[in-house]
Every structure is written in structure tokens, then in C-alpha cells.
Amino acid sequence: MTELTGALSNTEPPTSVALRGNLGIFQITLLVIAAAAPLGAVVSAAPIGFMVGNGPGLAGAFLVAGLMMLCFSVGYGELIRAIPGAGAFYKYLSVVFGARVGAGAAWVALASYLAIAISLATVTGYFTDLTLQSLGINWGWKTWTVLVIALTAYLGRANIDFAAKVLVPLVLAEFFMLFVLGLSIVMDKGNAALPLQAISVSAITAPGMGVGLMIALAAFLGVESAALYAMEARRPEKSIPGATRLAVALVAATYFVVIWLVVGDIGVDTIKEEAATAQGELVINLFSRHLGGTVATIVSIMLCTSNFACLLSLHNAATRYVHVLARDKHLPSVLANTHLQKKSPANASLFVTVLVSICIAVPASLGYDPFVFLFPVTLALGTIGLIGLQAFVSLAVIAHFKKVSDRRYFRILISPLFALGGLSVAVYLICANYGLLTASESVWVNGTPILLLVLFFYGLIKGHSKPV
């Protein structure tokens, strides 16, 4: 840690220069969508939902999750508009419930983003190695993980406008490939491509509904991160709420329609068994059958870039939490310093990179396979942390606007109330199925959510009483 502090202070001289960027609604929307990783969610997460969740009812589960997140984004957008400034969960919960509660939430958010960044760095290196082995390139997952972390570190220290230029084409390419797959299924199946049975109440509430809804909501992680770019956006009072709602709408529509089409293509009665057989190859096989083996190979490679885009987006989110926490004296002030030329939170980015690297290097050096040992635990921990905070913020929307006697009932009461109820149920379901997410029977592993409670109460006790 001494070496890290020295590197930070020597590389970046102390400065109070503000973060700067020129992000508009379009760029912020795609930064947020990158965190949701649409291609990764459809190719990697959906087969698990089909297999151990509610089968064909997964399409309906994504519809419910999408509506829930749209309601969350409506209330969240109004809170963003009413409480200007950077900090996202930290900022809003501090203003509504007090600085100490906000500090506790900030620690939970930072831990959650770091956990997911660790899981994504691991899975990106792992699957990049598996994908390129088929092309005769066998460098090993450790090499690819190091390269992925190094590239993330470089882009994370750059001005956010530059990072956006890298992420935008990657995200657009993901949407394009999913659109092409969906179009090919419709052209092949016609009306049968969208079976009404898949979105019926009986299909949605079939055994495994809890798992299906849990996986659907987990696919939306990171959609709240637009507010973290407030200091780097043009007209943040308009671009941040607009980008949040647009990102959620695009992602929700894409997930729902594509997964519904996958069910229609494979068959309502056979999707569960087919997913159990093909597992991670389920959607890749559809690309191969409809568009050819070459396209399927391209999609496999794009899955790696999708994971990387998601990693970079969440790295940026964690970086900005570190920056804001350091600025408000919850972390060493050196982490709040900004790069004089790039106007980026370079010190905070380096700190996040070092933490992620250590958390992967330690189990690797002890002989553990981080993909098996680390990936499921960190992903599960980050999922429960962020969904729990989304529910907390929905409560904050209701509480804040009740104080100011606002009468826009749909935006500031009905929508956040629906989101609060649904997300609270999701937190319960995740806790009840936590062992499924971690793929472990260890009491220690499945007790990791206690860490989030410890961090929250640490922030509650140690948090500054000054307003944010």
C-alpha cells in the first residue's frame, strides 16, 4: 500500500482540477448499456435462466424485470433532476436520509462495483483464452486477464470522452448482432417466432420463477451508473435522467424481444431440455444455424469484447465512487486528485486497478482457479449489493418528494413504489437462492453478503455528519 500511495502521489501532483468531459445523452446511454452487456446477458446468462429457472417463462421474467427497471428509472430520473451533483447512490441517499446513511450506501456500492469488476476481469480473460484457442492462439487465461486489466487501466485513466469512443462501437456492434439474429428467426419462423405461451402468467409463474427473475434483474446491473458521470456531461440536469431512461428502455426491449425469439425458435416445450444440453453454446448454436459458422465464431469473439466493455464501464463506475469518497474525506485525499491534462480521476482509476489485480492474483498464486473460485462469488455479491441499493433509492424517491409535497403521483410515488416492491422481492429471492449463484455449499462463501452489512454500518458509524 505504501508503494501504491507513492505511485499515486508521484504520478499525479495534488490538484483540485474538476473532472471534465463532453458527454451527451447518446454517449452516456451507451456507457450505461455497456455495463449491462446485452450480448453477454443473452448468450451467457439466458441459458442458465432457461435451464434452472422457469424455462420458456424466462421471456416473461425479463418483461417483468424490464417494467420494474423502467419504473425505477422514472423515479430515479426525477431524483437526479431534483438533487444535482455527482455521486449517484451516495449523493441521493445522503441528501434524503443523511450523510451517514449515504456514506454506508457508498461503501456498499463501491464494494459491489469492485466485486463485479473482479468477476468480469476474470471471465473476460478466461473466455478470451477459450475462444482464441479454437483459432490456434493459446496464451493462457492468465495472460489475457493481465492484458484485459492493463487495457482497462489505460482507458480508465483517460478522459471519459476517449473511453466513450471505445465503448460506443462495441455496444452498437452488440445490438447489431442481436438484431440480425432476431430478424433471421422471424424470417424463418414467421408468427411462430413469438409464442404467446412464453409470456403467459402460467409460464412466468412456473417452478423456477424466482431464479428466472433473479437472473433477469441481474442482467440490468449498472443501469443506475449514468449519474456518476454528472461532472463529465453536457447539461447533466437533462442528459443524466434522459440517458438513464433511454438506456433502460433500450436494454429492456432488447432483452425481452431477443429472449422471446430464442424461445420461439427452439420451442416452448423443448427450451428447458435444450438449454440443459447445450448450456453456454445454446445461443451461439442459433447464430450458427441461422447465419453460419463464421458469424457464430465472430459472435464468440464479440462475447469477449462485450465482457470487456462491461468491465470498462463498471471500472469507470467504481473509479468515480472512489473519487467522490476521497473528495469527501472517506478515503485518502490523494485518490481525489485528477489528471491535469486528461481531467480524469486517474488516481482513483489506478487504485481500482490495483485492488482488482490483487483480488485475482492472490487466489491464482495459491493455486486456485479464479474462474471457479472467485467469479461466482464476486458476481453474486455485486448483484445483491446493487439490487439492494436500487430498492433503497426507490424508497428515497418516495421519501424525498413526500417532504416537498410534489403531486406528480405516477413519477414520484406509483413508479418508485412498484420498483421498491419488486426489487425488495428480488433481494429476498437472491438471498434465498444465493447458493445457486455462488455454486457453493460453503457457509463462509454463502455468508459473504454479511460483508455488505458490515460495510454499511461502518459507513453509518464513521461517515461524516457534514452534508454532501
Side-chain angles (χ1 to χ4, degrees):
M1 182 60 75
T2 302
E3 294 177 0
L4 171 61
T5 305
L8 289 171
S9 58
N10 291 335
T11 303
E12 305 297 341
T15 176
S16 58
V17 175
L19 298 181
R20 187 177 300 170
N22 193 36
L23 299 175
I25 289 180
F26 178 69
Q27 289 89 350
I28 297 172
T29 297
L30 293 181
L31 281 171
V32 172
I33 290 174
L39 186 63
V42 171
V43 174
S44 301
I48 299 173
F50 289 133
M51 182 170 53
V52 298
N54 51 347
L58 184 66
F62 267 90
L63 175 62
V64 172
L67 291 173
M68 198 181 301
M69 292 309 301
L70 283 171
C71 287
F72 167 78
S73 69
V74 168
Y76 187 54
E78 293 305 313
L79 201 60
I80 293 171
R81 215 183 285 273
I83 306 174
F89 292 149
Y90 170 46
K91 176 75 177 182
Y92 309 130
L93 293 174
S94 294
V95 171
V96 178
F97 297 120
R100 294 183 183 275
V101 172
W107 282 107
V108 173
L110 177 57
S112 300
Y113 280 122
L114 283 172
I116 298 176
I118 291 165
S119 69
L120 285 167
T122 304
V123 78
T124 303
Y126 192 88
F127 278 112
T128 299
D129 180 52
L130 286 180
T131 300
L132 295 183
Q133 277 183 21
S134 63
L135 302 177
I137 302 173
N138 189 6
W139 291 3
W141 72 266
K142 292 180 181 179
T143 301
W144 287 111
T145 300
V146 169
L147 291 174
V148 163
I149 291 175
L151 183 57
T152 303
Y154 172 75
L155 293 173
R157 286 168 60 84
N159 181 273
I160 193 64
D161 294 335
F162 179 71
K165 290 176 182 177
V166 174
L167 287 174
V168 164
L170 294 179
V171 174
L172 290 177
E174 291 184 51
F175 274 114
F176 176 73
M177 295 308 296
L178 291 174
F179 172 77
V180 171
L181 175 63
L183 183 62
S184 66
I185 292 174
V186 170
M187 291 177 66
D188 183 40
K189 295 285 186 176
N191 293 335
L194 297 171
L196 295 179
Q197 186 180 343
I199 57 172
S200 65
V201 174
S202 59
I204 297 172
T205 58
M209 172 192 173
V211 176
L213 184 60
M214 176 179 64
I215 289 173
L217 282 170
F220 284 90
L221 291 182
V223 296
E224 75 291 328
S225 60
L228 293 170
Y229 302 104
M231 290 188 290
E232 298 154 285
R234 297 194 305 268
R235 302 181 67 191
E237 72 283 354
K238 291 186 176 292
S239 60
I240 300 299
T244 301
R245 289 192 288 265
L246 180 58
V248 172
L250 288 174
V251 170
T254 300
Y255 284 156
F256 169 54
V257 173
V258 172
I259 290 173
W260 193 7
L261 288 170
V262 169
V263 174
D265 188 56
I266 295 175
V268 171
D269 297 326
T270 57
I271 185 71
K272 200 174 185 72
E273 293 74 18
E274 184 69 22
T277 301
Q279 298 187 7
E281 296 295 316
L282 181 74
V283 179
I284 295 293
N285 290 342
L286 294 186
F287 276 102
S288 180
R289 184 164 76 240
H290 288 282
L291 301 167
T294 301
V295 172
T297 301
I298 292 172
V299 170
S300 296
I301 295 172
M302 286 181 61
L303 180 60
C304 301
T305 63
S306 175
N307 288 330
F308 171 73
C310 185
L311 169 62
L312 179 57
S313 183
L314 291 170
H315 171 94
N316 286 334
T319 292
R320 279 147 185 81
Y321 263 106
V322 170
H323 178 83
V324 172
L325 283 170
R327 187 192 63 190
D328 290 340
K329 310 303 181 185
H330 298 294
L331 286 171
S333 59
V334 68
L335 298 174
N337 293 345
T338 56
H339 196 287
L340 287 173
Q341 286 77 42
K342 299 173 182 176
K343 306 298 186 294
S344 66
N347 283 4
S349 178
L350 178 58
F351 182 69
V352 170
T353 298
V354 171
L355 286 179
V356 170
S357 300
I358 290 172
C359 289
I360 295 175
V362 169
S365 65
L366 294 175
Y368 293 101
D369 182 341
F371 179 73
V372 175
F373 175 76
L374 197 61
F375 169 68
V377 179
T378 51
L379 182 62
L381 186 66
T383 297
I384 193 171
L386 291 182
I387 291 179
L389 286 173
Q390 288 170 353
F392 200 4
V393 169
S394 296
L395 178 62
V397 175
I398 298 170
H400 175 75
F401 288 103
K402 183 178 180 181
K403 291 178 184 177
V404 298
S405 300
D406 194 310
R407 297 191 176 186
R408 294 171 300 160
Y409 294 116
F410 176 77
R411 287 174 176 264
I412 52 88
L413 179 60
I414 297 174
S415 288
L417 194 60
F418 179 78
L420 173 62
L423 291 169
S424 298
V425 170
V427 170
Y428 167 76
L429 291 173
I430 292 172
C431 290
N433 295 278
Y434 198 73
L436 178 66
L437 275 175
T438 62
S440 173
E441 297 180 358
S442 168
V443 174
W444 291 102
V445 169
N446 292 328
T448 50
I450 295 174
L451 173 63
L452 299 178
L453 290 176
V454 170
L455 287 171
F456 178 78
F457 283 108
Y458 172 80
L460 202 64
I461 295 168
K462 294 290 186 179
H464 296 292
S465 58
K466 67 180 181 65
V468 179

